[in-house]
Amino acid sequence: MKNIILIGMPACGKSTIGSLLSNEINFEFYDADKYLEECENREISDIFSEDGEDYFRELETKYLEELSKKDGIIISTGGGAVKKEKNMEIVKKNGIVIFLNRKLENIAKENHEARPLLKNLNNLKKLYDERIKLYHKYSDIVVENDDNMEVIINRIVMALKGKI
Ligand SMILES: Nc1ncnc2c1ncn2[C@@H]1O[C@H](COP(=O)(O)OP(=O)(O)OP(=O)(O)O)[C@@H](O)[C@H]1O
Ligand SMILES: O=C(O)C1=C[C@@H](O)[C@@H](O)[C@H](O)C1
Ligand SMILES: [Mg+2]
């Protein structure tokens, strides 16, 4: 069984959709950000402020590698996982990558208190411009997240038919 990897901007819906998809197709769900926080027993925002982004990125790669040893799971990645080619090589070895594309105006409406890189909302557009090419480059499937959750899960299930 292959893994299903969700990539996309912060607040594009990876964790929410990953969890709902897990109920639908009976694949175990791992949120890579939560997994990292549990393994390190620290919050990502503390890791960023105390040790910096580079150190966080090292941990992110370490735990993506660990999770990718499993199979038949859904992984929602951190929004910046596409920044390192190595992360994508790791997850793509036994995974199908789905880019959840959500409009910036909808992303901007969410509460971003727990997202260190979005403390300043001006950063959102900048992050999007930096990353949009990467999300497309590494995705096997693009799913527009522009409807209610039931519709989105159905879109994903249809897109995955015959691929896992
Ligand atoms: N199609 C949608 N309709 C309504 N709300 C949505 C939709 N997609 C996402 N959301 C909401 O957006 C918020 C952010 O979603 P979520 O936390 O799943 O994003 P994420 O991609 O995991 O973010 P992060 O990269 O920060 O972990 C949640 O409150 C979620 O319910
Ligand atoms: O967009 C990003 O670079 C990040 C997104 C979050 O999911 C976390 O992985 C972390 O806050 C970094
Ligand atoms: Mg999330």
Side-chain angles (χ1 to χ4, degrees):
M1 277 289 195
K2 287 198 166 180
N3 293 334
I4 299 164
I5 322 298
L6 302 177
I7 63 173
M9 285 290 287
C12 76
K14 300 177 295 294
S15 303
T16 314
I17 289 168
S19 171
L20 292 170
L21 184 64
S22 158
N23 296 336
E24 188 68 26
I25 63 172
N26 280 322
F27 275 36
E28 211 175 336
F29 170 60
Y30 289 88
D31 184 309
D33 284 338
K34 278 215 184 95
Y35 185 78
L36 183 154
E37 287 183 328
E38 279 162 19
C39 292
E40 291 293 309
N41 199 20
R42 295 173 76 188
E43 293 197 1
I44 288 174
S45 50
D46 292 337
I47 300 174
F48 261 77
S49 58
E50 290 160 18
D51 296 307
E53 180 172 347
D54 287 354
Y55 180 65
F56 166 76
R57 296 293 172 202
E58 281 171 32
L59 293 175
E60 181 174 49
T61 302
K62 172 182 167 182
Y63 291 114
L64 282 175
E65 205 149 27
E66 210 170 285
L67 283 173
S68 294
K69 290 194 180 121
K70 300 176 185 288
D71 56 51
I73 64 167
I74 299 168
I75 306 173
S76 75
T77 58
V82 292
K83 285 177 75 171
K84 255 200 209 170
E85 182 153 30
K86 185 173 175 198
N87 292 340
M88 294 297 107
E89 281 169 12
I90 291 167
V91 296
K92 274 173 148 313
K93 266 190 202 141
N94 64 337
I96 299 170
V97 176
I98 301 181
F99 168 35
L100 292 176
N101 196 18
R102 190 176 187 209
K103 282 201 177 76
L104 271 190
E105 66 209 58
N106 291 332
I107 289 178
K109 285 180 202 151
E110 303 295 346
N111 177 344
H112 299 298
E113 269 164 33
R115 296 187 173 92
L117 292 176
L118 296 188
K119 285 263 146 64
N120 171 359
L121 254 194
N122 292 332
N123 215 18
L124 182 62
K125 176 81 170 79
K126 186 170 160 271
L127 276 188
Y128 183 83
D129 289 343
E130 276 168 19
R131 292 178 180 176
I132 182 68
K133 278 202 195 91
L134 297 173
Y135 294 132
H136 280 290
K137 173 176 172 187
Y138 293 120
S139 59
D140 301 304
I141 299 170
V142 181
V143 171
E144 300 300 326
N145 178 10
D146 60 1
D147 210 318
N148 68 57
M149 285 298 160
E150 204 182 322
V151 172
I152 307 306
I153 298 301
N154 197 37
R155 274 182 196 162
I156 296 177
V157 170
M158 297 303 284
L160 284 172
K161 278 231 155 71
K163 293 200 167 78
I164 47 178

